C-alpha cells in the first residue's frame, strides 16, 4: 500500500523534537488536529524512535510505558488466522508481532514519517506487514472486514471526534470482533507533565476538556492532544455500539526502570498512567 512522504518539516530543537512557539488551551477541530499531528509526527519520528525504539522493539507488542505486553496480557485473544487492524501503528512493531503470531495484519498510521520507518523495519526484520496511511476518523476498510482492532497509544488521544473514530472501529469489525486500545489515563490531565512524584499536584481541572495545543510563531497548531474523562471514554465506546468488557489500568512492571515522558517507576507506583479499553462488537443483531 502506498505511503505519502512526510509533509513540510517543522523546526527542530536540540533534542530533535519539533519546537513550539507557544502553548495554548483552545478548541481544535477535526481537520486542524489531523493536519497538526501529521506534521508533528512526521517531524518527530526520528527523535521519538531514537529515544523509544529500543523499548518498543522491532517485533514486539508493548501496550504502555508501564511495560504491559500483549504476550502477557492476551487482551486480543488468539489472533492466529484472524484479520487485525492496528490504528496508529507508528513504526509497526505491534503489527509485526501480531503477524509473527499468525494474524493477517494491516498497520495504519496518519504519519508518513512513521510509516517510512515501518517500511524500513519490514525489510530489516523480514516480517512485512501492509502499511496504510489514513486518519482514524475515516478508516478505508470495508464494513465488517476485520476480526480485531487494536491501538497502543495510537491515534485516539489525538483525534478531535473520538466518537466518530470509535464508530469507524465498530463499522469495520465483524460481529463478535474484538477491540482494545491504550490511551493516556485521564488522571494524567490535571498534573504537570513530569515523572517526578513531587510534581503530583493539581494544576488544571480534570473536567476541563479543552484541548492542549502547541502552536508555531503564527499561532497555528503544530500539535494537538485531546482529553477525555473516564466517563467520556466509556460513553464513546458504548455509544459506538461496542460492548465494553474491561477497563485495564496497568500497574508498573516490577524491575522496569525506563522513564517515558511523564511515566516513571516512582510515579507509576502511586497513580495510573494508562487506561486500556477492551470491548467487542456484539455478535447478535441490534448491537451496533
Amino acid at each position: 500500500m502506498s505511503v505519502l512522504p512526510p509533509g513540510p518539516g517543522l523546526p527542530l530543537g536540540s533534542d530533535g523534537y519539533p519546537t513550539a512557539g507557544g502553548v495554548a488551551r483552545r478548541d481544535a477541530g477535526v481537520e486542524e488536529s489531523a493536519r497538526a499531528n501529521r506534521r508533528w509526527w512526521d517531524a518527530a519520528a526520528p527523535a521519538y524512535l531514537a529515544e523509544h525504539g529500543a523499548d518498543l522493539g522491532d517485533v514486539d507488542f508493548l501496550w504502555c510505558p508501564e511495560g504491559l505486553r500483549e504476550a502477557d496480557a492476551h487482551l486480543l485473544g488468539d489472533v492466529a488466522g484472524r484479520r487485525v487492524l492496528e490504528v496508529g501503528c507508528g513504526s509497526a512493531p505491534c503489527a509485526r508481532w501480531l503477524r509473527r503470531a499468525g494474524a493477517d495484519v494491516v498497520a495504519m498510521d496518519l504519519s508518513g514519517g512513521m510509516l517510512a520507518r515501518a517500511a524500513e523495519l519490514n525489510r530489516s526484520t523480514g516480517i512485512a506487514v501492509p502499511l496504510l496511511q489514513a486518519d482514524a476518523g475515516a478508516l478505508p476498510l470495508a464494513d465488517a472486514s476485520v476480526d480485531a482492532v487494536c491501538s497502543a497509544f495510537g491515534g485516539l488521544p489525538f483525534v478531535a471526534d473520538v466518537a466518530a473514530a470509535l464508530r469507524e472501529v465498530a463499522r469495520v469489525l465483524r460481529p463478535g470482533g474484538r477491540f482494545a486500545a491504550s490511551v493516556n489515563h485521564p488522571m494524567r490531565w490535571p498534573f504537570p507533565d513530569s515523572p517526578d512524584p513531587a510534581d503530583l499536584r493539581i494544576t488544571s481541572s480534570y473536567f476541563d476538556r479543552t484541548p492542549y495545543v502547541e502552536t508555531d510563531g503564527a499561532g497555528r497548531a503544530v500539535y494537538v492532544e485531546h482529553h477525555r474523562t473516564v466517563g467520556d471514554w466509556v460513553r464513546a465506546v458504548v455509544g459506538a455500539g461496542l460492548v465494553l468488557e474491561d477497563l485495564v489500568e496497568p500497574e508498573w512492571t516490577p524491575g522496569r526502570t525506563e522513564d517515558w515522558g511523564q511515566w516513571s517507576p516512582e510515579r507509576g507506583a502511586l497513580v495510573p498512567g494508562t487506561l486500556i479499553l477492551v470491548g467487542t462488537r456484539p455478535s447478535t443483531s441490534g448491537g451496533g
Side-chain angles (χ1 to χ4, degrees), residues 20-233:
V23 173
R25 294 289 300 277
R26 65 167 175 80
D27 289 337
V30 172
E31 292 185 5
E32 183 180 29
S33 295
R35 181 172 58 250
N37 286 323
R38 181 193 170 194
R39 289 187 67 203
W40 195 92
W41 284 105
D42 281 353
Y48 179 84
L49 294 172
E51 182 178 6
H52 300 297
D55 198 20
L56 291 167
D58 297 341
V59 187
D60 199 359
F61 198 136
L62 180 68
W63 275 112
C64 54
E66 288 84 356
L68 182 68
R69 285 177 157 79
E70 177 61 10
D72 301 312
H74 307 293
L75 299 181
L76 296 174
D78 184 3
V79 297
R82 297 187 176 274
R83 189 162 194 244
V84 182
L85 169 66
E86 183 185 6
V87 175
C89 67
S91 59
C94 300
R96 281 185 290 275
W97 184 91
L98 290 165
R99 180 69 190 91
R100 192 170 63 183
D104 173 16
V105 189
V106 175
M108 190 205 89
D109 203 282
L110 180 67
S111 167
M114 280 292 187
L115 290 173
R117 180 58 178 153
E120 293 174 3
L121 289 173
N122 275 354
R123 291 189 289 270
S124 65
T125 62
I127 304 175
V129 296
L131 304 174
L132 176 62
Q133 188 169 21
D135 189 283
L139 302 177
L141 278 75
D143 295 358
S145 59
V146 300
D147 298 296
V149 176
C150 62
S151 184
F153 277 86
L156 295 182
F158 307 104
V159 296
D161 190 347
V162 76
L166 289 171
R167 287 195 297 270
E168 280 290 273
V169 168
R171 179 185 64 80
V172 302
L173 275 175
R174 294 176 178 135
R178 198 156 182 82
F179 163 70
S182 58
V183 298
N184 302 329
H185 198 290
M187 276 293 294
R188 293 180 68 243
W189 196 253
F191 301 119
D193 191 11
S194 164
D196 190 343
D199 290 329
L200 285 174
R201 49 192 171 79
I202 302 297
T203 58
S204 64
S205 172
Y206 173 81
F207 302 103
D208 183 1
R209 278 82 159 182
T210 308
Y212 168 86
V213 181
E214 294 181 2
T215 59
D216 62 14
R220 294 173 298 228
V222 296
Y223 176 93
V224 181
E225 190 170 334
H226 295 268
H227 168 58
R228 284 105 192 176
T229 66
V230 174
D232 292 339
W233 282 112

Side-chain angles (χ1 to χ4, degrees), residues 75-76 147-149 166 169-170 173-180 237-238 240-246 277-284 287-288:
L75 299 181
L76 296 174
D147 298 296
V149 176
L166 289 171
V169 168
L173 275 175
R174 294 176 178 135
R178 198 156 182 82
F179 163 70
V237 171
V238 174
L242 299 168
V243 175
L244 185 64
E245 295 188 343
D246 201 358
L277 310 154
V278 183
T280 56
R281 179 178 171 179
S283 56
T284 58

Side-chain angles (χ1 to χ4, degrees), residues 226-285:
H226 295 268
H227 168 58
R228 284 105 192 176
T229 66
V230 174
D232 292 339
W233 282 112
V234 170
R235 284 184 289 274
V237 171
V238 174
L242 299 168
V243 175
L244 185 64
E245 295 188 343
D246 201 358
L247 292 173
V248 180
E249 297 168 295
E251 296 187 45
W252 201 266
T253 299
R256 181 172 167 82
T257 60
E258 291 84 353
D259 284 4
W260 189 319
Q262 189 184 99
W263 292 266
S264 68
E266 297 79 15
R267 190 160 175 165
L270 300 174
V271 293
T274 296
L275 181 69
I276 306 180
L277 310 154
V278 183
T280 56
R281 179 178 171 179
S283 56
T284 58
S285 60

